[in-house]
Amino acid sequence: MSVLNSKGGHKLIATPRQPGSKPFVDAAAQGVFKLPYCRSCDQPHWYPRPVCPRCLSDKVEWETASGQGEIYSFTIMRRAKIPYAIGYVKLDEGPVMMSNLVTEDFEALHIGMRVKVFFEDDGEGNLVPLFEPAN
Amino acid sequence: MSIKGRACIVGAYEHPTRHAPDKSVAQLHAECARGALEDAGLSKDDIDGYFCSGDAPGLGPLSMIDYMDLRVRHVDSTDIGGSSYLALVSHAAQAIALGKCNIALITLAGRPRSSGMATGTAPRAGNPDQPDLEWERPYGPATANLYAMAAKRHMHEFGTTSEQLAWVKVAASHHAQYNPQAMLRDVVTVDQVLESPMVADPLHRLDCCVISDGGGALLVARPEIARELKRPVIQLLGAGEAVKGQMSGDVDLTYTGARWSGAAAFAEAGVTPADIQYASIYDSFTITVLLQLEDLGFCKKGEGGRFVMDGNLISGVGKLPFNTDGGGLCNNHPANRGGITKIIEAVRQLRGEAHPAVQVPGCTLALAQGTGGSIGTRHGSTTLILERV
């Protein structure tokens, strides 16, 4: 997206959250980015699930993460009213997550670029993690 | 127990329509069924197994079996997107091998073009219970931009170029010029692909498949029945299916489930990629073809770009003739699910009934490969290996 959702740019698609996502949402409200870790297999995963997708244990706990990572891949969606950048970010903790890459300068985006998380309301009260260049 | 040689494709029909505003989806299914029966020389009462997928309206087999008033003793409605129909052939063969049915009907139909569906560029609504939805849909994932991310990563890791991807479309267009029913019959050049509008970098408009109405049907039967019919006998040698997702967050967009489904199909068939004379390769986008060719073993991982260049996929020109009907890129992508058309063209090639300009001489061994869903998130992959007896 060229500019933020809240500044008239490409809009996030409002999507209700599942009950198990409450700890993530509560942390996001404090500006904190959390990742789900499994206490049985000792690994993080994404997207978050109350049941660990690696070992099916229910011993999943949320831990504060760096919110930093690098672009794994991305594209600029040109066939949209307002073009937007969608990508996969490889978090420093390991998992790769889908997000939007928010910048005024699409041309500067590249695989391997360092990015950091921030949160944006989807318009219906759901905080969504987005990424911007880390400078 | 193997399905090798246990079942044959005895009927194949591709609906000629590409735009059907005046027909219902159920009607198209029924017309496809009629076409396949006429092709096989069988009648409706011979059918004792019915197979369909998510494109079938209502409760799938319940709605369609009632609509066509079939009397069957085996049903299957596996839904793994566009790859479903290759899996359904395999499942029909399994059912036939176990005596659960003798003659299985598989149908597909849809009319996304008439319904004005922005198939590739609009994010799909999704089911509210879909567990990934809240973590992906806000960002505007659409079919085209998800596949674009796979293309971008392939370029980054292996140096693949837009020119190389364009060669896939160029080859498809060379074939489509001979197909009077193809939506896009004009031969295009690499430059024309590159000059077409960018949809989602690096995929241009001509890197994307068509949006069409239509459908197709297949009849799968016991070998003894196939030998009694007047059509060439096309037997199933091997099949494989796989689902690949984001692997708990260890996302790797450089390969597809074809790595697994292909290996399983080749092992069951007892043949190698070098033996294949014709390949139908799912072509939702040019990158889809390139990834699957690598994953099936037609070339090494990362070398797909060089493999598809210079007309290597053009029948009569290159080493691996592919999608001689024009494929999804030029001919037809009914219901946004191209799996069945991949099988139909492979059957035409094995029967020697492809257009003479694209017919592979003496074609006795063919492969059909499908993907469903999105290789950018989670997808099904199915591989069939077929032989003319």
Side-chain angles (χ1 to χ4, degrees), chain A residues 68-99:
Chain A
Q68 308 262 340
E70 62 177 46
I71 296 175
Y72 170 80
S73 193
F74 72 100
T75 184
I76 313 301
M77 186 58 180
R78 309 277 179 185
R79 290 271 295 170
K81 275 185 185 170
I82 300 172
Y84 56 96
I86 182 169
Y88 275 113
V89 173
K90 183 169 175 56
L91 300 169
D92 287 350
E93 291 80 4
V96 177
M97 65 176 282
M98 189 185 291
S99 191

Side-chain angles (χ1 to χ4, degrees), chain A residues 17 72-73 75 84 88 96 129, chain B residues 134 139-140 149 153 199 201 249 376:
Chain A
R17 291 214 172 266
Y72 170 80
S73 193
T75 184
Y84 56 96
Y88 275 113
V96 177
Chain B
E134 66 180 296
Y139 307 121
M149 286 196 275
R153 186 70 198 185
V199 173
D201 314 51

Side-chain angles (χ1 to χ4, degrees), chain B residues 133-338:
Chain B
L133 205 68
E134 66 180 296
W135 304 105
E136 296 179 1
R137 188 163 180 269
Y139 307 121
T143 309
N145 58 41
L146 294 171
Y147 279 77
M149 286 196 275
K152 190 95 166 177
R153 186 70 198 185
H154 202 275
M155 290 177 164
H156 175 77
E157 290 203 23
F158 306 116
T160 306
T161 66
S162 289
E163 288 80 1
Q164 291 171 333
L165 287 176
W167 270 107
V168 176
K169 168 72 176 187
V170 170
S173 76
H174 272 267
H175 298 148
Q177 66 178 313
Y178 303 110
N179 182 352
Q181 284 151 1
M183 267 185 74
L184 306 176
R185 293 189 66 192
D186 291 340
V187 173
V188 300
T189 64
V190 168
D191 284 345
Q192 283 174 301
V193 178
L194 300 185
E195 286 161 11
S196 66
M198 192 66 86
V199 173
D201 314 51
L203 299 179
H204 304 78
R205 183 177 169 84
L206 294 187
D207 285 298
C208 307
C209 67
V210 300
I211 299 171
S212 62
D213 299 345
L218 296 165
L219 287 159
V220 183
R222 305 176 69 82
E224 306 89 277
I225 296 168
R227 284 193 288 270
E228 289 169 8
L229 299 171
K230 290 174 183 162
R231 309 292 277 133
V233 176
I234 310 300
Q235 71 173 358
L236 188 57
L237 278 191
E241 54 194 83
V243 172
K244 178 171 177 271
Q246 295 174 334
M247 305 170 96
S248 302
D250 302 337
V251 172
D252 186 342
L253 299 183
T254 63
Y255 72 98
T256 72
R259 176 180 288 186
W260 305 319
S261 66
F266 279 116
E268 186 167 40
V271 300
T272 69
D275 299 321
I276 300 296
Q277 295 168 283
Y278 165 80
S280 283
I281 307 288
Y282 203 100
D283 54 346
S284 46
F285 299 90
T286 52
I287 183 64
T288 321
V289 174
L290 199 135
L291 286 168
Q292 292 170 108
L293 287 171
E294 294 175 347
D295 296 330
L296 291 168
F298 288 109
C299 62
K300 288 181 183 165
K301 180 50 64 183
E303 293 183 358
R306 285 186 291 283
F307 185 82
V308 303
M309 283 175 69
D310 303 326
N312 200 36
L313 301 178
I314 299 175
S315 187
V317 175
K319 288 180 185 161
L320 185 67
F322 99 126
N323 300 5
T324 41
D325 60 337
L329 288 167
C330 296
N331 173 28
N332 191 13
H333 193 226
N336 304 320
R337 290 161 167 252

Side-chain angles (χ1 to χ4, degrees), chain B residues 58-78:
Chain B
L59 274 176
L62 299 190
S63 296
M64 288 315 307
I65 286 169
D66 184 41
Y67 187 90
M68 296 188 279
D69 193 13
L70 302 176
R71 310 294 161 91
V72 301
R73 56 192 180 100
H74 194 81
V75 295
D76 183 330
S77 56
T78 299

